[in-house]
Amino acid sequence: MKAAPAEQLRLLEFQALDTRLDQLAHARASLPELATLTTLGQDSAALDRELALARTAQRDVQREVTKAEMDVQQVRDRAERNQKRLDVGTGTAKDLQALQHELISLARRQGELEDIELEVMERAEELDSQVAALDSRRSALDAEIADVTARRDEAFARFDAERETVLASRGEVAPQIGEALMTLYAKVRESSGGIGAAELKQRRCGGCRLELNSLDLSSIRSAAADDVVRCEECRRILIRTAESGL
Ligand SMILES: [Zn+2]
């Protein structure tokens, strides 16, 4: 295949732009913030589950508190009524004695119910502080997610802006390369890990990094300037420059 030396040099430029596009795409896809956001998303879901459980337990224990308070109040009211009747002193001696007995058992019952109330209130306090701690973790996590998201978006914007610039340059260089050379380049690039054209520099192929043997070198030396030469090792298009060492 034939292509003017200037056209071949344009291809080298084109390759550099394609390589930059590949690097940008890779950098965009492997941005550390993306992995961080995945982890934070998992933490966030786990925290939400924990919060939901804690809030349910908090509501349940709150109901227990209300019930325990009512139980204590009921016994207190009854004891108060009995005490009033005793103070008034009406009724038979037997009635008054029964009231006194009941007062004693009500006092005991009140003590037991107050112990239960206290225990339930302690649990309620524990759950309140547990929910508060989870709420503050939720806020901290939200702030962290917002922060990492902002950094990701900044990086994306940087990559995308550079991509636009590179695409514009690529659009300028492309028309300076003939269709045949471009087709060959695209084919080799596809099968050679993104590098279709490489500079021959100091007798070394810029694609496979191997130094050319003297036989291949002399064949390249004898080739015309507009011959499109290929690396015998990796089959990439070799572009000769002033630094090729020929
Ligand atoms: Zn090579």
Side-chain angles (χ1 to χ4, degrees):
M1 186 188 292
K2 298 268 184 190
E7 185 186 335
Q8 294 192 31
L9 287 174
R10 289 289 89 80
L11 183 63
L12 204 54
E13 260 180 66
F14 195 77
Q15 169 70 77
L17 293 167
D18 270 348
T19 300
R20 189 60 195 145
L21 286 180
D22 289 346
Q23 287 168 345
L24 287 170
H26 181 258
R28 199 183 199 281
S30 56
L31 200 67
E33 280 79 5
L34 294 177
T36 307
L37 281 174
T38 303
T39 308
L40 289 176
Q42 287 160 351
D43 292 351
S44 181
L47 185 56
D48 281 346
R49 283 193 296 273
E50 237 183 296
L51 250 174
L53 286 176
R55 286 210 176 103
T56 304
Q58 189 185 33
R59 274 194 301 275
D60 290 348
V61 85
Q62 204 48 58
R63 270 196 294 273
E64 282 187 63
V65 168
T66 307
K67 183 179 180 302
E69 282 168 353
M70 277 164 57
D71 288 349
V72 169
Q73 194 54 49
Q74 212 173 15
V75 172
R76 233 180 241 148
D77 290 347
R78 190 174 172 114
E80 215 171 286
R81 275 198 309 275
N82 285 6
Q83 189 60 54
K84 270 182 191 153
R85 284 168 68 190
L86 267 179
D87 290 347
V88 172
T90 51
T92 65
K94 203 181 166 195
D95 287 344
L96 293 175
Q97 207 180 10
L99 279 175
Q100 237 155 7
H101 275 301
E102 202 190 329
L103 265 182
I104 292 165
S105 75
L106 282 172
R108 197 175 52 234
R109 182 74 188 130
Q110 188 178 330
E112 287 164 3
L113 289 172
E114 278 170 351
D115 285 348
I116 292 172
E117 185 187 19
L118 200 66
E119 183 267 327
V120 172
M121 281 168 83
E122 274 169 12
R123 273 199 284 138
E125 272 173 35
E126 268 171 41
L127 281 164
D128 287 347
S129 62
Q130 199 183 327
V131 168
L134 288 171
D135 273 336
S136 85
R137 261 173 66 196
R138 176 75 267 171
S139 308
L141 194 56
D142 285 344
E144 197 182 349
I145 288 172
D147 183 52
V148 179
T149 303
R151 276 191 279 135
R152 178 203 63 189
D153 291 346
E154 269 172 47
F156 274 2
R158 260 200 326 275
F159 291 144
D160 293 347
E162 190 182 343
R163 187 181 139 82
E164 288 307 310
T165 309
V166 175
L167 280 174
S169 306
R170 203 171 165 275
E172 283 167 26
V173 176
Q176 304 174 51
I177 302 164
E179 205 184 319
L181 184 59
M182 195 62 114
T183 304
L184 176 65
Y185 162 75
K187 205 179 99 193
V188 180
R189 173 171 145 80
E190 169 127 23
S191 61
S192 305
I195 307 286
E199 183 182 0
L200 175 61
K201 194 172 182 181
Q202 309 301 336
R203 300 174 188 177
R204 203 174 279 278
C205 165
C208 64
R209 306 275 164 201
L210 289 175
E211 194 167 343
L212 270 63
N213 62 43
S214 52
L215 192 72
D216 295 339
L217 274 174
S218 68
S219 115
I220 289 176
R221 265 190 210 105
S222 60
D226 63 351
D227 276 334
V228 173
V229 297
R230 311 272 296 266
C231 171
E232 289 303 323
E233 294 294 338
C234 68
R235 300 305 296 151
R236 291 187 174 97
I237 301 165
L238 271 181
I239 310 291
R240 288 160 286 174
T241 67
E243 287 174 53
S244 289
L246 290 170

